[in-house]
Amino acid sequence: MIGRLRGVLISKQPPWLLVEVGGVGYELEAPMSTIYDLPATGKEVTLLTHYAVKEDSVALYGFLHEAERALFRNLQKVSGIGAKISLAVLSGVSTQDFARLVQAGDVVALTKIPGIGKKTAERIVVELRDRVEGLGVSAPGSAAASSAPLDPAGEATVALQQLGYKPAEVTRLVQKVAQPGDSAETIIRKALRAALGS
């Protein structure tokens, strides 16, 4: 199984990439989240890969970040979702934002991603809620995660979920109590007070 490739980026014609490794050109499909961050053609690139073998085809998918590959793999464990829809998800939303939508149970927002209808969105929420937790905390592919660590509201959200609060309830509480400049501890304290008082 091919897990990683390092070579020269020969061409990028979304969703297709051609990477030359030791004289061999590997053709890969990649989500737009990866394609946006690729170096110019002719430069060296390292890609994490997912190698898929089906009855009638063999395909190689490339990702710059582990969070993207993990989400790609997890999505395909959901009934009715294949590689094409998984790539559409990664092309349309960052791993961190996707994790937030799933944890909040936001079926309406998920149906805006091409190829995902209401029933599929509901299955995603049910089947992936537990698996996306890590993606929401450390998604190297997202702009927010690459520029800064999780903000205080994000830290508070994760902590409250670990305390057993439901994601949708946590989101509501944090939005209600968080003020600019609050530390994660302050937001948690205020959210817990609000939860007990509501």
Side-chain angles (χ1 to χ4, degrees):
M1 186 161 137
I2 302 166
R4 193 179 81 147
L5 289 177
R6 187 173 71 199
V8 177
L9 182 61
I10 302 298
S11 71
K12 42 183 173 180
Q13 296 174 325
W16 295 99
L17 305 175
L18 184 63
V19 178
E20 187 176 310
V21 182
V24 178
Y26 289 87
E27 201 173 52
L28 307 96
E29 269 190 272
M32 291 310 297
S33 54
T34 284
I35 290 170
Y36 292 142
D37 292 338
L38 286 172
T41 52
K43 301 279 185 186
E44 188 175 275
V45 67
T46 300
L47 292 169
L48 298 166
T49 60
H50 175 78
Y51 184 70
V53 180
K54 292 183 182 168
E55 288 176 20
D56 56 351
S57 66
V58 174
L60 194 59
Y61 300 92
F63 310 91
L64 277 175
H65 306 288
E66 180 53 46
E68 292 174 322
R69 182 170 68 174
L71 178 53
F72 179 81
R73 287 173 169 172
N74 277 321
L75 276 164
Q76 290 181 72
K77 292 175 184 169
V78 177
S79 171
I81 293 187
K84 190 174 178 183
I85 293 176
S86 300
L87 285 178
V89 168
L90 283 162
S91 294
V93 66
S94 73
T95 52
Q96 193 171 40
D97 287 342
F98 181 82
R100 281 203 195 109
L101 293 176
V102 171
Q103 288 176 334
D106 195 338
V107 170
V108 174
L110 288 169
T111 57
K112 291 177 183 170
I113 298 168
I116 295 183
K118 189 168 184 278
K119 283 186 178 172
T120 304
E122 287 167 352
R123 276 200 303 272
I124 287 172
V125 169
V126 171
E127 295 181 37
L128 292 188
R129 190 170 258 161
D130 295 336
R131 292 187 202 156
V132 297
E133 228 169 85
L135 297 175
V137 179
S138 56
S142 72
S146 58
S147 61
L150 209 59
D151 63 332
E155 283 180 45
T157 299
V158 172
L160 288 162
Q161 286 176 8
Q162 286 170 346
L163 289 172
Y165 286 92
K166 290 190 171 126
E169 175 74 355
V170 169
T171 303
R172 187 183 67 77
L173 286 170
V174 170
Q175 284 173 349
K176 182 176 166 184
V177 303
Q179 296 293 321
D182 279 356
S183 67
E185 292 78 16
T186 303
I187 296 170
I188 293 166
R189 209 173 298 123
K190 291 201 295 196
L192 289 171
R193 263 197 299 248
L196 293 173
S198 59

